[in-house]
Structures are given as C-alpha cells and as structure tokens.
Amino acid sequence: MTPLTRAAAQAAVADLGWRYILGTLRATVPVTSLAEAATAAAACAGGSPATLSIDLRPDRVLLTINDFTTAGVALAGRLTEVLAQLDLATVPAQTQQIELAIDALDIAAVRPFWKAALAYADTPDGYGAALIDPLGLSPAVWFQQMDAQRPQRNRIHIDISVPHEEAKPRVVAALAAGGHLVTDSHAPAFWVLADPEGNEACITTWQGRD
C-alpha cells in the first residue's frame, strides 16, 4: 500500500469512471431499481484493505473508497471489473462531497469546539486541520485562516440535530472544548452555542416543539 498524490490517484482511476474528491475515490453506478442496486452492492461487498462505503438508491449506487493509496486504486479497478460482468458501469456523475468552511483568526482555539459539538474526528492524514463525520454521513468541516476580525456578525450558523438523550452531553462537551452558551431559553428544542470567536452552532432535538 503506497500513498499517492491527489493527481496520481485521479490519473489512476480516471478511465474507470471514478473521481478523486476530498480524500476519497467516488463513483456512481446507474441502476433501474432498488433490487438491481442491491445486486450491485452485493457484488461489491467483501474483504479489502481499503475502506468501502456503499449507498443504495432506487436509481443508483454510490461507491466511496476512503483510501487513495495504491490499495484504494486497485480496489476501484476490481469493483469496476466486477460490475462490468453484471453489465453495470461506474461513472463520475451524481457524486459530490460537501465541505463547510469556518473562517477563524485562531484555528487552534475554535477547532476543539467544533470537533466536540459535531462529534467529528480528525482526518486520517490531518490535512488542513479538517474534521470529518466518522459515520460518513455529514459534510466535512475545514478552517480558513483570517488575517483580521470581521466587525459584523456571521450570517449563518450550523444546526446539529441529535437524538434527544445526546443533546445535553453534546452541549457539555462543546462547552468543555472552549465554547460558550449563547442561550438555552429554547431548550430542549435547541441550545445556541458559540466557539471562541463567536461562530454559532445550535444543538437541536425534536423535544419541546409540539
């Protein structure tokens, strides 16, 4: 297993219909039914040194290899061959990865708050101090260095919806990681928190809304 540059990883899988996106190799397999999607997923399942995620939809299967080493590239090739035997193709359409950027003057100060509030993990290579969802469901978060404070309040915030029993522990963890409580006047529907530079996040639940 040899690490590859982004350019080398993309070049190795380009003709297979895969694309390098944010540390992953991704491809879509168009299908005509959920049954066909399940067949495609079953064909792709199996042991591998690379981590494979499979997302089934009625019209497509989304394949994600969380590894752009030589092992990940080899896996992409094997999957493409297996699917071709079923007359299914890997294509780069309908695949993307969303990433949220948080501007900060002191990234080291604000990053722990977001890691705790989102229950995120470090990227495998630590690239850019970004954070990722360990479940692979939600957008990645990265931090952009600011050179001066903005005088106005940020016009967006992030809502983090969690199971109701997880809300208070998540709030406690975010506060312990350097955040502060803006208001809990709407709890248990939501708590408004902020990182050390005032960027806001709401921990939300279903409770208190009926």
Side-chain angles (χ1 to χ4, degrees), residues 100-104 106-122 129-133 139-143 154 156-160 170 173-175 177-179 193-203:
L100 303 177
I102 296 175
D103 294 344
D106 188 346
I107 293 174
V110 304
R111 186 178 184 276
F113 167 84
W114 291 102
K115 184 177 181 179
L118 295 165
Y120 267 24
D122 299 328
L131 297 170
I132 57 173
D133 179 2
V141 172
W142 69 283
F143 301 87
N154 284 354
I156 64 170
H157 68 270
I158 297 175
D159 285 346
I160 305 157
R170 188 71 64 87
L175 298 179
L193 311 176
D195 71 17
E197 294 187 5
N199 301 301
E200 294 182 358
C202 293
I203 307 296

Side-chain angles (χ1 to χ4, degrees), residues 62-86:
L62 307 176
L63 301 175
T64 301
I65 299 173
N66 300 302
D67 181 348
F68 61 102
T69 66
T70 51
V73 167
L75 177 59
R78 289 197 299 274
L79 296 180
T80 299
E81 291 177 0
V82 167
L83 290 165
Q85 294 172 8
L86 299 174

Side-chain angles (χ1 to χ4, degrees), residues 149-153:
Q149 181 67 52
R150 294 195 184 106
Q152 73 273 22
R153 179 181 181 274

